[in-house]
Amino acid sequence: LFNVSMDVDDEYFFPESKIFSWKRVEFGEFGADSKTSEPPLDPLSEMGAIKKYRRSRNFQAQQKGQLLKNSFAVLAQKPAMSFSRSPYDYDESDAAAGIEKETDIKKQALQLQQFSLLKNDGARSTSLLRFHPYEPALVVCGSSDNVSIWNAETSERMTSFSNENPKGTRMTAAQWVNEATSSLLLTGSNDGSVRIFDGLLEANDEISREKPSLVS
């Protein structure tokens, strides 16, 4: 960030800082005509570091998901084939045989094994499961109003709380909201009520052990 300029005839020289020019370019897009309502965060600040981590985390998760999708694309459901074919149609039996062989190989690669067993004590049954797309947080909803948050990597129940829907009703929906940033939890019940909880993840996106707060 410094330019050093000196004349051969000068005995002393002063470094010329370029930080002002750098910051002017960096924040130049934020102004009266900017579409953003907030200035960009300093990447060295706490919130700036969190934002940078989330951007990198989300990108890596999306890249891994795309690789898995491409790797097992052969297992995707195929469109229904028409049984009427012309005698001049190309015979695709050899190609079909090759695809079938590749499909068998991919199916063998999907031989899954049990990773862990989560015992959701306190709930009569489990009705809904929702994985966080970027963090190892798993939402487990019981048949009435019990909600538990698990760490899917360590098989540990981090917290449990009541959805507080009326007696005789049950939860019918659970969904992560703004999971790329603030990670809220939305729940719905068959009485028509919808609740939004905050605080399931801490500021650094680790799973919280505290009970979340009802924000709406």
Side-chain angles (χ1 to χ4, degrees):
L1 295 178
F2 292 92
N3 273 354
V4 178
S5 59
M6 65 176 294
D7 197 321
V8 293
D9 296 330
D10 293 339
E11 185 177 355
Y12 302 103
F13 67 91
F14 297 94
E16 180 183 354
S17 173
K18 288 294 184 180
I19 189 169
F20 173 76
S21 300
W22 170 60
K23 299 301 287 185
R24 184 175 62 180
V25 172
E26 181 182 357
F27 291 96
E29 297 180 358
F30 176 76
D33 299 330
S34 176
K35 296 181 180 180
T36 60
S37 59
E38 298 180 0
L41 291 172
D42 182 353
L44 298 181
S45 67
E46 181 180 359
M47 290 305 301
I50 291 175
K51 184 177 180 180
K52 184 177 180 181
Y53 159 74
R54 286 173 176 171
R55 187 185 301 115
S56 174
R57 173 201 66 180
N58 299 351
F59 176 77
Q60 292 180 15
Q62 291 164 5
Q63 288 291 98
K64 291 179 180 178
Q66 188 62 43
L67 288 174
L68 284 173
K69 177 182 177 181
N70 296 339
S71 177
F72 294 96
V74 68
L75 299 181
Q77 185 175 2
K78 305 297 189 299
M81 297 182 59
S82 174
F83 291 98
S84 61
R85 56 180 298 185
S86 167
Y88 303 103
D89 286 346
Y90 171 69
D91 187 0
E92 299 179 345
S93 57
D94 292 340
I99 294 176
E100 185 176 353
K101 182 178 180 180
E102 184 180 359
T103 301
D104 292 339
I105 294 175
K106 293 298 182 181
K107 286 181 177 180
Q108 292 177 5
L110 282 177
Q111 295 296 323
L112 306 180
Q113 296 181 353
Q114 179 174 305
F115 175 76
S116 64
L117 175 62
L118 310 181
K119 298 188 66 175
N120 196 24
D121 297 331
R124 289 183 298 176
S125 63
T126 299
S127 59
L128 295 169
L129 297 172
R130 289 293 180 270
F131 281 96
H132 193 283
Y134 303 115
E135 298 294 340
L138 171 62
V139 175
V140 180
C141 299
S143 58
S144 56
D145 67 345
N146 177 267
V147 182
S148 297
I149 310 299
W150 292 77
N151 186 323
E153 291 182 348
T154 63
S155 304
E156 180 183 5
R157 180 158 61 178
M158 307 299 289
T159 187
S160 181
F161 60 96
S162 171
N163 189 58
E164 299 182 358
N165 46 289
K167 185 176 181 180
T169 63
R170 60 185 178 84
M171 286 178 287
T172 56
Q175 185 67 46
W176 288 100
V177 182
N178 297 339
E179 58 270 25
T181 53
S182 55
S183 294
L184 307 175
L185 176 65
L186 179 148
T187 62
S189 305
N190 64 350
D191 64 340
S193 61
V194 176
R195 294 172 175 81
I196 299 178
F197 295 92
D198 189 15
L200 286 88
L201 299 184
E202 298 178 359
N204 59 359
D205 285 335
E206 291 185 357
I207 306 173
S208 175
R209 293 183 178 273
E210 302 296 328
K211 292 186 178 181
S213 58
L214 180 65
V215 297
S216 177

